[in-house]
């Protein structure tokens, strides 16, 4: 098994049996021309380095509409284990050795959503993935939309409102967001669509 592969299939997130995790959607703005430098470092060091402390590393993507944008996901079984895993990684040898090189590529690494959902990694052979971030008018209205238009393969996520207990890494707060992957009927609320190219190791 690799990354989120064991989470990509199965029943709808709202049905019994679908594994639900704490998921971070992380969107980095990088210095011009440095995206491939970070990707090479990330794939070589940070995937296995995070997995070693219990972090599930999901999809990693180039933003097709912004050459200086890198988007990725990681997941944890619950908030307590998220805190312990982040503490282990960011005080551990892999991050200490490579953090200066990684940070040198970044303009902003604080665009982070804390979510609850099944996680996501693109199917093998994917060349483009569409992710939709939605700000619905209310939970009940969105659930009605999702029941009509979203299925298991959309990997639906919603905001996790628990307090971020690892404040060294900020997350965005104050919004109730829905995130899903793949095409769907446009919802009647504000959305932001990301066209993403999967990174391959």
């Amino acid at each position: 098994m690799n990354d989120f592969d064991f989470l990509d299939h199965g029943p709808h997130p709202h049905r019994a049996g679908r594994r639900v995790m704490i998921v971070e959607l992380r969107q980095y703005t990088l210095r011009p021309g440095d995206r491939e430098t970070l990707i090479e470092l990330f794939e070589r060091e940070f995937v296995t380095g995070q997995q070693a402390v219990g972090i599930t590393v999901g999809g990693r993507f180039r933003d097709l509409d912004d050459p200086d944008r890198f988007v990725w996901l990681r997941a944890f079984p619950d908030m307590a284990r998220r805190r312990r895993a982040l503490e282990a990684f960011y005080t551990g040898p892999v991050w200490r050795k490579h953090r200066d090189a990684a940070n040198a590529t970044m303009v902003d690494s604080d665009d982070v959503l804390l979510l609850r959902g099944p996680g996501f990694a693109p199917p093998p052979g994917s060349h483009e993935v569409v992710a939709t971030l939605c700000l619905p008018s209310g939970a009940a209205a969105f659930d009605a939309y999702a029941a009509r238009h979203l299925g298991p393969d959309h990997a639906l996520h919603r905001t996790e409102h628990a307090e971020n207990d690892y404040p060294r890494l900020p997350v965005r707060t104050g919004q109730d967001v829905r995130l899903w992957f793949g095409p769907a009927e446009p919802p009647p609320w504000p959305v932001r669509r990301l066209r993403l190219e999967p990174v391959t190791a």
Side-chain angles (χ1 to χ4, degrees):
M1 275 180 203
N2 182 37
D3 298 334
F4 275 113
D5 291 350
F6 68 101
L7 299 174
D8 287 343
H9 307 285
H12 191 277
H14 292 298
R15 299 174 190 160
R18 184 96 193 221
R19 186 174 182 183
V20 176
M21 304 182 79
I22 301 298
V23 178
E24 295 178 2
L25 174 71
R26 308 187 65 86
Q27 302 180 69
Y28 292 171
T29 300
L30 306 177
R31 299 186 186 281
D34 276 355
R35 184 163 69 181
E36 294 309 310
T37 299
L38 178 62
I39 286 172
E40 190 279 330
L41 177 62
F42 197 98
E43 294 297 300
R44 190 184 74 237
E45 302 291 347
F46 294 155
V47 173
T48 56
Q50 291 181 89
Q51 290 171 337
V53 298
I55 298 171
T56 302
V57 180
R60 287 89 69 195
F61 306 96
R62 299 173 181 91
D63 187 326
L64 288 171
D65 296 312
D66 186 340
D68 302 319
R69 196 86 161 162
F70 174 62
V71 180
W72 64 290
L73 299 97
R74 64 182 173 191
F76 314 82
D78 53 48
M79 289 295 291
R81 279 180 279 187
R82 171 182 177 266
R83 183 186 67 252
R84 292 197 296 268
L86 293 177
E87 288 172 347
F89 178 71
Y90 287 104
T91 62
V94 174
W95 180 248
R96 286 201 307 268
K97 181 176 180 180
H98 299 287
R99 64 186 175 190
D100 290 345
N103 287 335
T105 69
M106 298 183 192
V107 174
D108 176 29
S109 60
D110 292 344
D111 187 350
V112 180
L113 291 174
L114 189 62
L115 305 165
R116 180 173 290 273
F120 179 79
S126 299
H127 299 290
E128 182 176 334
V129 172
V130 176
T132 300
L133 292 164
C134 175
L135 292 173
S137 60
F142 182 83
D143 288 346
Y145 164 84
R148 292 192 304 271
H149 300 296
L150 302 181
D153 290 340
H154 286 101
L156 177 61
H157 296 71
R158 62 185 61 225
T159 296
E160 169 57 59
H161 290 291
E163 182 180 357
N164 176 24
D165 56 2
Y166 193 73
R168 175 178 171 183
L169 296 182
V171 301
R172 287 164 50 188
T173 60
Q175 295 179 324
D176 194 28
V177 176
R178 302 295 184 271
L179 165 72
W180 65 88
F181 295 86
E185 182 72 17
W189 306 290
V191 298
R192 179 182 170 215
R193 285 195 170 86
L194 303 174
R195 294 193 315 120
L196 305 172
E197 177 188 61
V199 170
T200 55

